[in-house]
Amino acid sequence: MNKLSVKMFGGFTASYGDEVLTFGRQRNSKFGQLFQILMTRPGQGFSKEDIAESLYGQEEVEDLNASLNNTIFRLRRYLEASPLPSGDYLMLNAGVVRFEGQIEVESDVWCFENAALEFEGEQDRHRKAEICEKACELYQGEFLPQLSNEQWVIEKSRNYQNQYSRMLKYLLRYLKDEGDYGNMEKKAARAARLNPYEEWEIWQVESLIALGRHKEAGNVYRKLAQRVQEAGGFLSKKQQAWFRRIGDRMRRPEGSEEEISKCLMESVPPDGAYACTLPGFLDCFRMLKRSLVRGGYFGLWSDFVYHPGRKRILCERPAIL
């Protein structure tokens, strides 16, 4: 069965089967924007007051209600002449407008919002990562970029971008914990193309270093530095901070201080005579020996010998305190 498919991330397209709803030269008109507002939540109700505020809030309009009624009428007329099956799709009841009909409607932003809600309520770590991956695939860029000067678009775009950022960070942390650096690099690289200067380059460089692809990591850093220079070097404090972090990561590809510390930490030893590993015991032994030597007890330790092959310390003759 054909369905009405509407995409508003990274641009605007609306199609029914193989037929495209073009909106002609008036794709950015008020009735075109009304259609886009309704498609953010198809089947859900919008109050006329909220719609009027979105469409005319920045303009001086004598009669908001009359202007909105005229916009609704124009959209209804357009839908009647569109490739959609005949029917009444705009429902107006008790001051509430909704898009309904006998066809299936799929909206990328509505699917994205539902995924974001599911993400917030999900407790299972693996399932949350799956939801994030689905949502991040839906996000193809800025919401309705051709209308980026409209206040209602600005507000929604900011909200969608924040949701995308929150879910992508969770997904990247999950992939890092799982050691899936290949997938981590792909997700970070895609995010950096969609939203540059939003710290995704840090994740990309880190994953490339973990994969041993140091040359590619260097190329990412050089290209980023070139873009910053071409932009005149004007970065916010937040952007300056992440840019410095990328530079630090390139200078210390082996890892940060925290990562190195984790590698050096010994695991919990099994119960035993000294309750510690052999390297740990040797460190303590040598430190104690140096302390005793400084205290004048050197002769006491001259009779103790460490045998690497036998992995233990032997006393060759009794020592007398």
Side-chain angles (χ1 to χ4, degrees):
M1 178 183 290
N2 289 334
K3 62 183 176 183
L4 174 59
S5 177
V6 181
K7 300 184 184 301
M8 291 181 277
F9 283 132
F12 171 66
T13 61
S15 59
Y16 181 73
D18 296 330
E19 300 289 337
V20 177
L21 282 69
T22 63
F23 288 88
R25 296 178 180 177
Q26 305 181 52
R27 58 186 294 118
N28 297 334
S29 62
K30 295 300 183 185
F31 79 86
Q33 290 186 51
L34 172 59
F35 177 79
Q36 292 161 340
I37 290 173
L38 297 176
M39 287 299 103
T40 60
R41 291 183 295 163
Q44 308 297 306
F46 295 79
S47 70
K48 291 182 67 176
E49 290 81 2
D50 289 342
I51 295 176
E53 176 63 26
S54 297
L55 293 178
Y56 307 103
Q58 306 299 314
E59 303 174 11
E60 293 184 4
V61 179
E62 292 184 4
D63 192 335
L64 280 177
N65 187 60
S67 297
L68 180 55
N69 286 338
N70 181 58
T71 300
I72 293 173
F73 173 78
R74 293 182 63 197
L75 178 57
R76 183 177 283 121
R77 288 283 301 273
Y78 173 80
L79 294 176
E80 290 174 355
S82 74
L84 297 179
S86 60
D88 191 4
Y89 296 99
L90 292 186
M91 304 298 173
L92 177 57
N93 184 26
V96 176
V97 184
R98 62 169 46 86
F99 184 96
E100 290 184 350
Q102 301 302 315
I103 60 172
E104 181 183 356
V105 181
E106 183 180 78
S107 163
D108 59 346
V109 295
W110 183 226
C111 292
F112 179 85
E113 280 199 25
N114 286 326
L117 287 173
E118 188 179 358
F119 166 77
E120 296 295 343
E122 182 59 57
Q123 299 299 318
D124 182 76
R125 179 171 169 269
H126 178 70
R127 177 58 186 154
K128 283 177 80 77
E130 289 181 338
I131 296 170
C132 290
E133 189 159 14
K134 173 186 173 183
C136 292
E137 286 298 321
L138 287 168
Y139 189 87
Q140 296 292 321
E142 183 184 354
F143 173 69
L144 294 177
Q146 73 279 6
L147 294 174
S148 58
N149 60 331
E150 296 288 342
Q151 186 60 37
W152 73 272
V153 173
I154 294 172
E155 294 173 0
K156 282 192 171 294
S157 181
R158 186 185 302 116
N159 182 50
Y160 293 140
Q161 189 168 348
N162 289 339
Q163 290 176 325
Y164 170 73
S165 178
R166 185 165 61 253
M167 287 187 283
L168 181 57
K169 285 179 181 178
Y170 183 94
L171 178 59
L172 292 174
R173 284 193 295 267
Y174 173 85
L175 293 173
K176 182 179 179 179
D177 292 342
E178 294 293 310
D180 190 354
Y181 291 103
N183 203 9
M184 175 179 161
E185 191 277 330
K186 292 178 182 177
K187 303 296 183 188
R190 177 181 180 273
R193 289 193 298 270
L194 293 177
N195 294 310
Y197 309 115
E198 291 292 337
E199 77 179 280
W200 307 122
E201 292 87 351
I202 297 175
W203 292 91
Q204 186 182 6
V205 167
E206 184 172 349
S207 57
L208 287 171
I209 291 174
L211 291 167
R213 292 153 59 181
H214 300 280
K215 184 177 180 180
E216 293 179 56
N219 290 336
V220 171
Y221 178 68
R222 281 190 291 273
K223 289 179 181 178
L224 179 61
Q226 184 178 358
R227 291 207 309 268
V228 171
Q229 187 176 11
E230 291 173 351
F234 297 107
L235 298 177
S236 65
K237 290 185 177 179
K238 179 181 178 181
Q239 290 172 332
Q240 291 175 24
W242 66 250
F243 188 67
R244 283 194 296 270
R245 283 179 59 194
I246 296 178
D248 291 342
R249 197 69 177 91
M250 291 302 303
R251 285 189 289 273
R252 295 196 303 271
E254 66 280 353
S256 64
E257 289 87 347
E258 291 183 2
E259 292 168 338
I260 295 172
S261 298
K262 288 180 181 178
C263 293
L264 294 176
M265 290 294 291
E266 296 179 354
S267 58
V268 178
D271 292 335
Y274 301 102
C276 66
T277 62
L278 177 61
F281 173 78
L282 288 175
D283 288 339
C284 295
F285 177 84
R286 288 163 182 155
M287 181 175 65
L288 180 59
K289 180 180 178 179
R290 285 194 296 269
S291 298
L292 289 170
V293 168
R294 285 195 295 269
Y297 296 98
F298 178 80
L300 172 67
W301 296 100
S302 62
D303 301 323
F304 285 81
V305 181
Y306 170 59
H307 291 263
R310 301 174 66 177
K311 295 186 177 179
R312 59 178 178 163
I313 295 176
L314 303 177
C315 178
E316 295 190 337
R317 68 173 183 268
I320 302 175
L321 292 174

